[in-house]
Amino acid sequence: VEEAAKELRNALESGEHPLGLAAPQFGKGLRIVAIGETQDAVDRLTTRAQISEEHRVFKTTILVNPKVTPKPGTSDAYFFERSASVPGYEAVVGRALEVEVEGFNEEGRAVSFDAKGWQARQLQHTADMLEGVLYVDRMETRSFRRDTVEE
């Protein structure tokens, strides 16, 4: 677990994974996710995206065996998502605005907390990957598109 957590942390902190990472993306058969958002990542976004998607800085968080549940009464927000598992594409996905999280940290201590906004989206996105569910399984089908323009 320690080695996988370190690998996930390093990959996340590279800045190339805005929706977090899950151990299976690295060929690890472990139920571990990594999420986080740096000031640099937030600063690269438009003010509109920062506000509408509820981005905020939060340190890298490693969770083992996470359970992510939408908070009762919360509504969904629809934004584009992408993943290294489906390179070059993106699609609109509806996710709960607020979630309740339970799991274990890197040291094996039980943790529970609530998350909202982009942090909640990251948690749902990465927890899905542990179940073999990708954003394309939840997308609004007609929104699927290339996320880059090839020259």
PDB file of all heavy atoms in Angstrom, residues 57-83:
ATOM      1  N   VAL A  57      -8.167  24.948  -3.434  1.00  0.00           N
ATOM      2  CA  VAL A  57      -6.921  24.247  -3.135  1.00  0.00           C
ATOM      3  C   VAL A  57      -7.148  23.288  -1.975  1.00  0.00           C
ATOM      4  O   VAL A  57      -7.757  23.645  -0.967  1.00  0.00           O
ATOM      5  CB  VAL A  57      -5.808  25.267  -2.767  1.00  0.00           C
ATOM      6  CG1 VAL A  57      -4.551  24.550  -2.327  1.00  0.00           C
ATOM      7  CG2 VAL A  57      -5.541  26.196  -3.950  1.00  0.00           C
ATOM      8  N   PHE A  58      -6.694  22.056  -2.140  1.00  0.00           N
ATOM      9  CA  PHE A  58      -6.663  21.110  -1.031  1.00  0.00           C
ATOM     10  C   PHE A  58      -5.518  20.143  -1.269  1.00  0.00           C
ATOM     11  O   PHE A  58      -5.190  19.809  -2.400  1.00  0.00           O
ATOM     12  CB  PHE A  58      -8.001  20.391  -0.806  1.00  0.00           C
ATOM     13  CG  PHE A  58      -8.467  19.539  -1.960  1.00  0.00           C
ATOM     14  CD1 PHE A  58      -8.217  18.172  -1.978  1.00  0.00           C
ATOM     15  CD2 PHE A  58      -9.183  20.092  -3.001  1.00  0.00           C
ATOM     16  CE1 PHE A  58      -8.658  17.384  -3.023  1.00  0.00           C
ATOM     17  CE2 PHE A  58      -9.628  19.316  -4.053  1.00  0.00           C
ATOM     18  CZ  PHE A  58      -9.372  17.952  -4.065  1.00  0.00           C
ATOM     19  N   LYS A  59      -4.881  19.761  -0.180  1.00  0.00           N
ATOM     20  CA  LYS A  59      -3.675  18.940  -0.276  1.00  0.00           C
ATOM     21  C   LYS A  59      -3.997  17.559  -0.836  1.00  0.00           C
ATOM     22  O   LYS A  59      -5.134  17.090  -0.781  1.00  0.00           O
ATOM     23  CB  LYS A  59      -3.006  18.820   1.086  1.00  0.00           C
ATOM     24  CG  LYS A  59      -3.795  18.038   2.097  1.00  0.00           C
ATOM     25  CD  LYS A  59      -3.061  17.964   3.420  1.00  0.00           C
ATOM     26  CE  LYS A  59      -3.891  17.100   4.370  1.00  0.00           C
ATOM     27  NZ  LYS A  59      -3.214  16.722   5.545  1.00  0.00           N
ATOM     28  N   THR A  60      -2.971  16.915  -1.339  1.00  0.00           N
ATOM     29  CA  THR A  60      -3.120  15.565  -1.855  1.00  0.00           C
ATOM     30  C   THR A  60      -3.659  14.655  -0.756  1.00  0.00           C
ATOM     31  O   THR A  60      -3.158  14.655   0.362  1.00  0.00           O
ATOM     32  CB  THR A  60      -1.775  15.027  -2.367  1.00  0.00           C
ATOM     33  OG1 THR A  60      -1.329  15.863  -3.438  1.00  0.00           O
ATOM     34  CG2 THR A  60      -1.901  13.598  -2.861  1.00  0.00           C
ATOM     35  N   THR A  61      -4.687  13.925  -1.100  1.00  0.00           N
ATOM     36  CA  THR A  61      -5.331  13.009  -0.171  1.00  0.00           C
ATOM     37  C   THR A  61      -5.289  11.608  -0.761  1.00  0.00           C
ATOM     38  O   THR A  61      -5.701  11.415  -1.905  1.00  0.00           O
ATOM     39  CB  THR A  61      -6.802  13.416   0.067  1.00  0.00           C
ATOM     40  OG1 THR A  61      -6.837  14.771   0.534  1.00  0.00           O
ATOM     41  CG2 THR A  61      -7.488  12.512   1.069  1.00  0.00           C
ATOM     42  N   ILE A  62      -4.780  10.670   0.004  1.00  0.00           N
ATOM     43  CA  ILE A  62      -4.750   9.264  -0.392  1.00  0.00           C
ATOM     44  C   ILE A  62      -5.813   8.547   0.435  1.00  0.00           C
ATOM     45  O   ILE A  62      -5.834   8.667   1.663  1.00  0.00           O
ATOM     46  CB  ILE A  62      -3.368   8.627  -0.111  1.00  0.00           C
ATOM     47  CG1 ILE A  62      -2.232   9.412  -0.778  1.00  0.00           C
ATOM     48  CG2 ILE A  62      -3.367   7.152  -0.518  1.00  0.00           C
ATOM     49  CD1 ILE A  62      -2.194   9.356  -2.273  1.00  0.00           C
ATOM     50  N   LEU A  63      -6.682   7.798  -0.234  1.00  0.00           N
ATOM     51  CA  LEU A  63      -7.721   7.046   0.463  1.00  0.00           C
ATOM     52  C   LEU A  63      -7.662   5.573   0.057  1.00  0.00           C
ATOM     53  O   LEU A  63      -7.583   5.258  -1.137  1.00  0.00           O
ATOM     54  CB  LEU A  63      -9.105   7.592   0.127  1.00  0.00           C
ATOM     55  CG  LEU A  63      -9.428   8.968   0.670  1.00  0.00           C
ATOM     56  CD1 LEU A  63     -10.699   9.505   0.031  1.00  0.00           C
ATOM     57  CD2 LEU A  63      -9.585   8.903   2.177  1.00  0.00           C
ATOM     58  N   VAL A  64      -7.722   4.713   1.052  1.00  0.00           N
ATOM     59  CA  VAL A  64      -7.755   3.271   0.833  1.00  0.00           C
ATOM     60  C   VAL A  64      -9.180   2.793   1.115  1.00  0.00           C
ATOM     61  O   VAL A  64      -9.780   3.190   2.116  1.00  0.00           O
ATOM     62  CB  VAL A  64      -6.745   2.561   1.761  1.00  0.00           C
ATOM     63  CG1 VAL A  64      -6.787   1.056   1.560  1.00  0.00           C
ATOM     64  CG2 VAL A  64      -5.335   3.108   1.542  1.00  0.00           C
ATOM     65  N   ASN A  65      -9.701   1.969   0.225  1.00  0.00           N
ATOM     66  CA  ASN A  65     -11.073   1.456   0.339  1.00  0.00           C
ATOM     67  C   ASN A  65     -12.098   2.574   0.556  1.00  0.00           C
ATOM     68  O   ASN A  65     -12.909   2.515   1.482  1.00  0.00           O
ATOM     69  CB  ASN A  65     -11.188   0.426   1.461  1.00  0.00           C
ATOM     70  CG  ASN A  65     -10.528  -0.875   1.109  1.00  0.00           C
ATOM     71  OD1 ASN A  65     -10.456  -1.252  -0.049  1.00  0.00           O
ATOM     72  ND2 ASN A  65     -10.031  -1.566   2.110  1.00  0.00           N
ATOM     73  N   PRO A  66     -12.074   3.597  -0.307  1.00  0.00           N
ATOM     74  CA  PRO A  66     -13.010   4.698  -0.099  1.00  0.00           C
ATOM     75  C   PRO A  66     -14.451   4.303  -0.400  1.00  0.00           C
ATOM     76  O   PRO A  66     -14.727   3.532  -1.320  1.00  0.00           O
ATOM     77  CB  PRO A  66     -12.532   5.750  -1.092  1.00  0.00           C
ATOM     78  CG  PRO A  66     -11.924   4.950  -2.193  1.00  0.00           C
ATOM     79  CD  PRO A  66     -11.268   3.777  -1.510  1.00  0.00           C
ATOM     80  N   LYS A  67     -15.338   4.834   0.394  1.00  0.00           N
ATOM     81  CA  LYS A  67     -16.782   4.720   0.145  1.00  0.00           C
ATOM     82  C   LYS A  67     -17.278   6.153  -0.020  1.00  0.00           C
ATOM     83  O   LYS A  67     -17.163   6.959   0.907  1.00  0.00           O
ATOM     84  CB  LYS A  67     -17.483   4.044   1.313  1.00  0.00           C
ATOM     85  CG  LYS A  67     -18.979   3.915   1.106  1.00  0.00           C
ATOM     86  CD  LYS A  67     -19.649   3.278   2.306  1.00  0.00           C
ATOM     87  CE  LYS A  67     -21.152   3.277   2.096  1.00  0.00           C
ATOM     88  NZ  LYS A  67     -21.862   2.888   3.329  1.00  0.00           N
ATOM     89  N   VAL A  68     -17.792   6.459  -1.192  1.00  0.00           N
ATOM     90  CA  VAL A  68     -18.227   7.811  -1.528  1.00  0.00           C
ATOM     91  C   VAL A  68     -19.729   7.765  -1.803  1.00  0.00           C
ATOM     92  O   VAL A  68     -20.177   7.065  -2.706  1.00  0.00           O
ATOM     93  CB  VAL A  68     -17.461   8.350  -2.758  1.00  0.00           C
ATOM     94  CG1 VAL A  68     -17.913   9.751  -3.108  1.00  0.00           C
ATOM     95  CG2 VAL A  68     -15.958   8.304  -2.514  1.00  0.00           C
ATOM     96  N   THR A  69     -20.480   8.514  -1.011  1.00  0.00           N
ATOM     97  CA  THR A  69     -21.939   8.492  -1.089  1.00  0.00           C
ATOM     98  C   THR A  69     -22.474   9.915  -1.236  1.00  0.00           C
ATOM     99  O   THR A  69     -22.085  10.795  -0.461  1.00  0.00           O
ATOM    100  CB  THR A  69     -22.521   7.883   0.212  1.00  0.00           C
ATOM    101  OG1 THR A  69     -21.874   6.644   0.468  1.00  0.00           O
ATOM    102  CG2 THR A  69     -24.011   7.670   0.097  1.00  0.00           C
ATOM    103  N   PRO A  70     -23.361  10.146  -2.211  1.00  0.00           N
ATOM    104  CA  PRO A  70     -23.957  11.480  -2.315  1.00  0.00           C
ATOM    105  C   PRO A  70     -24.697  11.838  -1.025  1.00  0.00           C
ATOM    106  O   PRO A  70     -25.375  10.997  -0.432  1.00  0.00           O
ATOM    107  CB  PRO A  70     -24.948  11.343  -3.474  1.00  0.00           C
ATOM    108  CG  PRO A  70     -24.421  10.203  -4.286  1.00  0.00           C
ATOM    109  CD  PRO A  70     -23.817   9.251  -3.281  1.00  0.00           C
ATOM    110  N   LYS A  71     -24.529  13.083  -0.589  1.00  0.00           N
ATOM    111  CA  LYS A  71     -25.254  13.549   0.605  1.00  0.00           C
ATOM    112  C   LYS A  71     -26.744  13.591   0.289  1.00  0.00           C
ATOM    113  O   LYS A  71     -27.135  13.988  -0.812  1.00  0.00           O
ATOM    114  CB  LYS A  71     -24.767  14.935   1.024  1.00  0.00           C
ATOM    115  CG  LYS A  71     -23.407  14.911   1.697  1.00  0.00           C
ATOM    116  CD  LYS A  71     -23.063  16.257   2.256  1.00  0.00           C
ATOM    117  CE  LYS A  71     -23.688  16.339   3.634  1.00  0.00           C
ATOM    118  NZ  LYS A  71     -23.108  17.387   4.467  1.00  0.00           N
ATOM    119  N   PRO A  72     -27.569  13.200   1.244  1.00  0.00           N
ATOM    120  CA  PRO A  72     -29.010  13.250   1.020  1.00  0.00           C
ATOM    121  C   PRO A  72     -29.459  14.664   0.628  1.00  0.00           C
ATOM    122  O   PRO A  72     -29.034  15.647   1.228  1.00  0.00           O
ATOM    123  CB  PRO A  72     -29.591  12.852   2.382  1.00  0.00           C
ATOM    124  CG  PRO A  72     -28.502  12.058   3.051  1.00  0.00           C
ATOM    125  CD  PRO A  72     -27.216  12.680   2.567  1.00  0.00           C
ATOM    126  N   GLY A  73     -30.272  14.729  -0.403  1.00  0.00           N
ATOM    127  CA  GLY A  73     -30.825  16.012  -0.829  1.00  0.00           C
ATOM    128  C   GLY A  73     -29.926  16.832  -1.740  1.00  0.00           C
ATOM    129  O   GLY A  73     -30.336  17.882  -2.203  1.00  0.00           O
ATOM    130  N   THR A  74     -28.699  16.367  -2.010  1.00  0.00           N
ATOM    131  CA  THR A  74     -27.813  17.146  -2.876  1.00  0.00           C
ATOM    132  C   THR A  74     -28.235  16.985  -4.334  1.00  0.00           C
ATOM    133  O   THR A  74     -28.800  15.972  -4.719  1.00  0.00           O
ATOM    134  CB  THR A  74     -26.342  16.730  -2.700  1.00  0.00           C
ATOM    135  OG1 THR A  74     -25.503  17.696  -3.336  1.00  0.00           O
ATOM    136  CG2 THR A  74     -26.051  15.380  -3.321  1.00  0.00           C
ATOM    137  N   SER A  75     -27.963  18.002  -5.115  1.00  0.00           N
ATOM    138  CA  SER A  75     -28.281  17.930  -6.538  1.00  0.00           C
ATOM    139  C   SER A  75     -27.016  17.597  -7.321  1.00  0.00           C
ATOM    140  O   SER A  75     -25.915  17.591  -6.779  1.00  0.00           O
ATOM    141  CB  SER A  75     -28.901  19.248  -7.012  1.00  0.00           C
ATOM    142  OG  SER A  75     -28.024  20.311  -6.728  1.00  0.00           O
ATOM    143  N   ASP A  76     -27.201  17.319  -8.596  1.00  0.00           N
ATOM    144  CA  ASP A  76     -26.071  17.010  -9.472  1.00  0.00           C
ATOM    145  C   ASP A  76     -25.634  18.262 -10.225  1.00  0.00           C
ATOM    146  O   ASP A  76     -26.431  19.153 -10.497  1.00  0.00           O
ATOM    147  CB  ASP A  76     -26.451  15.940 -10.500  1.00  0.00           C
ATOM    148  CG  ASP A  76     -26.604  14.555  -9.892  1.00  0.00           C
ATOM    149  OD1 ASP A  76     -26.171  14.346  -8.741  1.00  0.00           O
ATOM    150  OD2 ASP A  76     -27.159  13.677 -10.575  1.00  0.00           O
ATOM    151  N   ALA A  77     -24.357  18.288 -10.571  1.00  0.00           N
ATOM    152  CA  ALA A  77     -23.806  19.330 -11.437  1.00  0.00           C
ATOM    153  C   ALA A  77     -23.200  18.621 -12.647  1.00  0.00           C
ATOM    154  O   ALA A  77     -22.632  17.533 -12.514  1.00  0.00           O
ATOM    155  CB  ALA A  77     -22.744  20.140 -10.703  1.00  0.00           C
ATOM    156  N   TYR A  78     -23.320  19.250 -13.810  1.00  0.00           N
ATOM    157  CA  TYR A  78     -22.866  18.646 -15.057  1.00  0.00           C
ATOM    158  C   TYR A  78     -21.698  19.446 -15.618  1.00  0.00           C
ATOM    159  O   TYR A  78     -21.852  20.628 -15.929  1.00  0.00           O
ATOM    160  CB  TYR A  78     -24.021  18.597 -16.058  1.00  0.00           C
ATOM    161  CG  TYR A  78     -25.089  17.617 -15.631  1.00  0.00           C
ATOM    162  CD1 TYR A  78     -26.031  17.965 -14.670  1.00  0.00           C
ATOM    163  CD2 TYR A  78     -25.128  16.345 -16.169  1.00  0.00           C
ATOM    164  CE1 TYR A  78     -27.002  17.063 -14.261  1.00  0.00           C
ATOM    165  CE2 TYR A  78     -26.090  15.430 -15.767  1.00  0.00           C
ATOM    166  CZ  TYR A  78     -27.019  15.794 -14.810  1.00  0.00           C
ATOM    167  OH  TYR A  78     -27.962  14.907 -14.394  1.00  0.00           O
ATOM    168  N   PHE A  79     -20.541  18.787 -15.722  1.00  0.00           N
ATOM    169  CA  PHE A  79     -19.339  19.410 -16.270  1.00  0.00           C
ATOM    170  C   PHE A  79     -18.584  18.390 -17.109  1.00  0.00           C
ATOM    171  O   PHE A  79     -18.766  17.182 -16.945  1.00  0.00           O
ATOM    172  CB  PHE A  79     -18.419  19.916 -15.152  1.00  0.00           C
ATOM    173  CG  PHE A  79     -18.998  21.050 -14.367  1.00  0.00           C
ATOM    174  CD1 PHE A  79     -19.442  20.867 -13.074  1.00  0.00           C
ATOM    175  CD2 PHE A  79     -19.105  22.317 -14.921  1.00  0.00           C
ATOM    176  CE1 PHE A  79     -19.986  21.903 -12.338  1.00  0.00           C
ATOM    177  CE2 PHE A  79     -19.649  23.375 -14.195  1.00  0.00           C
ATOM    178  CZ  PHE A  79     -20.091  23.152 -12.911  1.00  0.00           C
ATOM    179  N   PHE A  80     -17.699  18.900 -17.967  1.00  0.00           N
ATOM    180  CA  PHE A  80     -16.860  18.010 -18.766  1.00  0.00           C
ATOM    181  C   PHE A  80     -15.853  17.303 -17.871  1.00  0.00           C
ATOM    182  O   PHE A  80     -15.307  17.889 -16.942  1.00  0.00           O
ATOM    183  CB  PHE A  80     -16.118  18.790 -19.865  1.00  0.00           C
ATOM    184  CG  PHE A  80     -16.947  19.021 -21.088  1.00  0.00           C
ATOM    185  CD1 PHE A  80     -17.616  20.213 -21.272  1.00  0.00           C
ATOM    186  CD2 PHE A  80     -17.066  18.026 -22.049  1.00  0.00           C
ATOM    187  CE1 PHE A  80     -18.398  20.426 -22.394  1.00  0.00           C
ATOM    188  CE2 PHE A  80     -17.843  18.219 -23.186  1.00  0.00           C
ATOM    189  CZ  PHE A  80     -18.509  19.422 -23.357  1.00  0.00           C
ATOM    190  N   GLU A  81     -15.640  16.033 -18.166  1.00  0.00           N
ATOM    191  CA  GLU A  81     -14.593  15.237 -17.525  1.00  0.00           C
ATOM    192  C   GLU A  81     -13.778  14.570 -18.616  1.00  0.00           C
ATOM    193  O   GLU A  81     -14.252  14.353 -19.728  1.00  0.00           O
ATOM    194  CB  GLU A  81     -15.185  14.139 -16.623  1.00  0.00           C
ATOM    195  CG  GLU A  81     -15.853  14.652 -15.378  1.00  0.00           C
ATOM    196  CD  GLU A  81     -16.286  13.532 -14.429  1.00  0.00           C
ATOM    197  OE1 GLU A  81     -15.878  12.367 -14.614  1.00  0.00           O
ATOM    198  OE2 GLU A  81     -17.044  13.838 -13.495  1.00  0.00           O
ATOM    199  N   ARG A  82     -12.562  14.210 -18.252  1.00  0.00           N
ATOM    200  CA  ARG A  82     -11.706  13.419 -19.133  1.00  0.00           C
ATOM    201  C   ARG A  82     -10.882  12.502 -18.256  1.00  0.00           C
ATOM    202  O   ARG A  82     -10.866  12.649 -17.037  1.00  0.00           O
ATOM    203  CB  ARG A  82     -10.839  14.305 -20.009  1.00  0.00           C
ATOM    204  CG  ARG A  82      -9.851  15.157 -19.251  1.00  0.00           C
ATOM    205  CD  ARG A  82      -9.025  16.026 -20.173  1.00  0.00           C
ATOM    206  NE  ARG A  82      -9.840  17.006 -20.844  1.00  0.00           N
ATOM    207  CZ  ARG A  82      -9.850  18.295 -20.546  1.00  0.00           C
ATOM    208  NH1 ARG A  82      -9.077  18.759 -19.603  1.00  0.00           N
ATOM    209  NH2 ARG A  82     -10.616  19.131 -21.187  1.00  0.00           N
ATOM    210  N   SER A  83     -10.192  11.561 -18.878  1.00  0.00           N
ATOM    211  CA  SER A  83      -9.398  10.604 -18.115  1.00  0.00           C
ATOM    212  C   SER A  83      -8.251  10.095 -18.968  1.00  0.00           C
ATOM    213  O   SER A  83      -8.400   9.938 -20.192  1.00  0.00           O
ATOM    214  CB  SER A  83     -10.271   9.421 -17.685  1.00  0.00           C
ATOM    215  OG  SER A  83      -9.502   8.399 -17.106  1.00  0.00           O
TER     216      SER A  83
END
